[in-house]
């Protein structure tokens, strides 16, 4: 069991369940790597054991890449227990691996091995599911609303500090007014606001000008709340969201909002020698998948290139013909000005040319019967 560090931080309970199920039914060796070198060392010393990846899609892709570069991927069946939020295990779910820890662990023991295709580029990178060109940067098509993956993993994002939150030594917080720094009331001298030993203002406490509060009791605002207080700020945010015009609909009496047109990029796309796009006709994006793409707009094969099965599916969006162009191919070459691309969960580039080749039945994964 290769347990990804992020899985232990995000959902330690699922990791524990997977360990208990597998250890109860099989001889298990547990590996807790802290880096890529330790993952490489664990795979090199696995012997005849089956690698079981416990983690998200990135962890699976990392192990597949290492085994491919060792040239042992075709002879090493892989199993996986997905651990993470739904977005982080979307690839595993698309492959048919159960996302429930108990079912996934039982599948490792009782499942069957299914052979799958793999895309390999000229830099020895691998693509399990789908790649998209371009991705990120100016002029790129917004393929994923979540944006390219950053350095922080799920469960590690640092939330920005609330400007209205109290400092670490501000004492007990009993309400919106109690958490803010003391401030003099208008027209009051500095000496009038000196607090007593019991936390209540001595001078001016009963003069009717500003109500005070005693610590530990029911919250009472000691001054009018400014606009940036938490409650007021929440109300302002909600009001802004409710009054913001929606794309394609009339808002605030103005004209209907126009829908932004997608940016076009200049790419030359070749699939098995068939030219799908050239630099003089910009396109929106190019998608390549190891399995048929479901849904989406209808596409037509180019003239003289009938659609094939059992191949990587190449789709060019924004083609000069006006509709997406789809073609099955074993080799895809994309070239043009510096562009980034996204392969599964990894964003790479910039590059000026890249070729991907389909390796049929290149690896196997354990799936439920």
């Amino acid at each position: 069991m290769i347990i990804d560090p992020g899985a232990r931080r995000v959902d330690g309970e699922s990791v524990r369940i997977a360990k208990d199920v597998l250890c109860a039914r099989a001889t298990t060796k547990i590996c807790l790597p802290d880096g890529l070198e330790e993952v490489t060392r664990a795979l090199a010393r696995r012997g005849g054991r089956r690698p079981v990846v416990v983690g998200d899609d990135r962890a699976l892709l990392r192990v597949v890449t290492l085994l491919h570069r060792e040239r042992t991927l075709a002879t090493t069946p892989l199993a996986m227990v997905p651990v993470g939020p739904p977005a982080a295990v979307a690839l595993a779910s698309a492959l048919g691996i159960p996302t429930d820890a108990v079912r996934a662990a039982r599948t490792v023991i009782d499942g069957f091995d299914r052979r799958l295709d793999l895309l390999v580029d000229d830099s020895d990178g691998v693509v399990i599911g789908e790649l998209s060109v371009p991705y990120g940067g100016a002029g790129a098509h917004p393929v994923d609303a979540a944006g390219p993956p950053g350095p922080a993993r799920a469960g590690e994002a640092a939330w920005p500090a609330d400007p209205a939150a109290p400092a670490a030594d501000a004492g007990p917080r009993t309400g919106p007014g109690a958490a803010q720094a003391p401030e003099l009331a208008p027209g009051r001298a500095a000496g009038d606001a000196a607090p007593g030993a019991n936390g209540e203002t001595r001078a001016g406490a009963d003069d009717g000008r500003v109500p005070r509060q005693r610590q530990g009791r029911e919250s009472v605002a000691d001054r009018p709340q400014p606009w940036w207080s938490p409650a007021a700020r929440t109300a302002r945010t909600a009001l802004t969201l409710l009054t913001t015009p929606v794309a394609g609909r009339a808002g605030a009496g103005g004209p209907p909002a126009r829908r932004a047109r997608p940016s076009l990029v200049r790419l030359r796309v070749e699939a098995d020698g068939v030219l799908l796009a050239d630099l003089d006709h910009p396109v929106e994006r190019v998608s390549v998948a190891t399995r048929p793409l479901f849904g989406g707009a209808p596409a037509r094969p180019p003239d003289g290139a009938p659609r094939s099965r059992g191949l990587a599916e190449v789709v060019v969006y924004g083609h000069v013909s006006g509709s997406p162009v789809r073609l099955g191919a074993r080799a895809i070459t994309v070239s043009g000005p510096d562009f980034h691309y996204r392969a599964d969960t990894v964003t790479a580039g910039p590059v000026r040319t890249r070729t991907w080749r389909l390796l049929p039945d290149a690896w196997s994964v354990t799936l439920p019967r």
Side-chain angles (χ1 to χ4, degrees):
M1 290 182 61
I2 302 176
I3 303 177
D4 187 69
R8 304 197 299 266
R9 290 190 293 266
V10 172
D11 192 353
E13 181 65 16
S14 294
V15 173
R16 183 192 64 79
I17 292 174
K19 289 169 55 179
D20 292 345
V21 174
L22 294 179
C23 291
R25 302 186 58 183
T27 303
T28 307
K29 182 177 181 180
I30 298 175
C31 177
L32 304 173
D34 289 327
L36 188 61
E37 294 182 359
E38 296 186 13
V39 176
T40 305
R41 190 180 306 115
L43 292 174
R45 299 176 179 177
R46 68 184 181 276
R49 301 181 182 89
R50 174 193 296 262
V52 180
V53 181
V54 181
D56 57 8
D57 294 339
R58 288 175 178 263
L60 175 64
L61 187 61
R62 187 181 303 117
V63 173
V64 171
T65 302
L66 290 174
L67 292 176
H68 166 72
R69 293 177 180 176
E70 291 180 1
R71 300 300 184 260
T72 58
L73 179 61
T75 59
T76 306
L78 280 175
M80 182 183 183
V81 178
V83 176
V89 296
L91 177 60
S93 178
L95 293 175
I97 303 174
T99 55
D100 177 72
V102 176
R103 290 187 57 205
R106 291 175 178 172
T107 299
V108 174
I109 305 297
D110 303 328
F112 75 101
D113 297 333
R114 180 181 178 183
R115 307 293 299 186
L116 298 174
D117 299 341
L118 192 71
L119 282 171
V120 179
D121 63 35
D122 46 18
S123 66
D124 225 16
V126 301
V127 182
I128 296 176
E130 182 180 0
L131 70 91
S132 182
V133 186
Y135 190 90
H141 186 85
V143 184
D144 187 357
R153 300 175 63 89
E156 301 178 35
W159 294 94
D162 189 343
D169 57 348
R173 178 173 180 174
T174 58
Q180 299 168 4
E183 188 171 317
L184 295 180
R188 182 176 302 210
D192 292 341
N198 58 358
E200 183 178 3
T201 304
R202 292 179 178 175
D206 56 350
D207 56 3
R209 288 179 294 176
V210 180
R212 312 302 296 175
Q213 85 171 60
R214 182 175 298 176
Q215 294 184 359
R217 294 189 177 180
E218 186 179 359
S219 172
V220 179
D222 62 347
R223 61 184 176 85
Q225 292 298 303
W227 65 268
W228 44 262
S229 64
R233 186 179 55 190
T234 302
R236 289 169 62 89
T237 303
L239 182 62
T240 302
L241 293 176
L242 292 174
T243 56
T244 301
V246 180
R249 298 180 62 183
R258 280 190 168 183
R259 187 173 183 179
R261 299 182 59 184
S263 301
L264 301 180
V265 291
R266 298 183 180 274
L267 295 174
R268 178 181 177 87
V269 183
E270 297 181 54
D272 285 348
V274 178
L275 184 63
L276 303 182
D278 209 346
L279 299 177
D280 55 348
H281 294 293
V283 298
E284 293 179 23
R285 67 180 176 101
V286 180
S287 174
V288 184
T290 58
R291 60 188 185 279
L293 299 178
F294 300 98
R300 64 168 186 84
D303 297 337
R307 183 173 178 178
S308 303
R309 294 184 177 181
L311 306 174
E313 190 161 19
V314 187
V315 184
V316 180
Y317 295 92
H319 193 264
V320 64
S321 63
S323 61
V325 172
R326 180 173 298 166
L327 174 68
R330 291 188 178 274
I332 304 95
T333 300
V334 180
S335 57
D338 292 345
F339 62 88
H340 293 76
Y341 62 91
R342 175 158 179 159
D344 292 325
T345 61
V346 177
T347 303
V351 295
R352 292 192 174 183
T353 182
R354 182 119 293 172
T355 298
W356 290 270
R357 297 184 181 277
L358 183 76
L359 301 181
D361 299 333
W363 69 296
S364 60
V365 64
T366 305
L367 298 179
R369 293 186 181 276

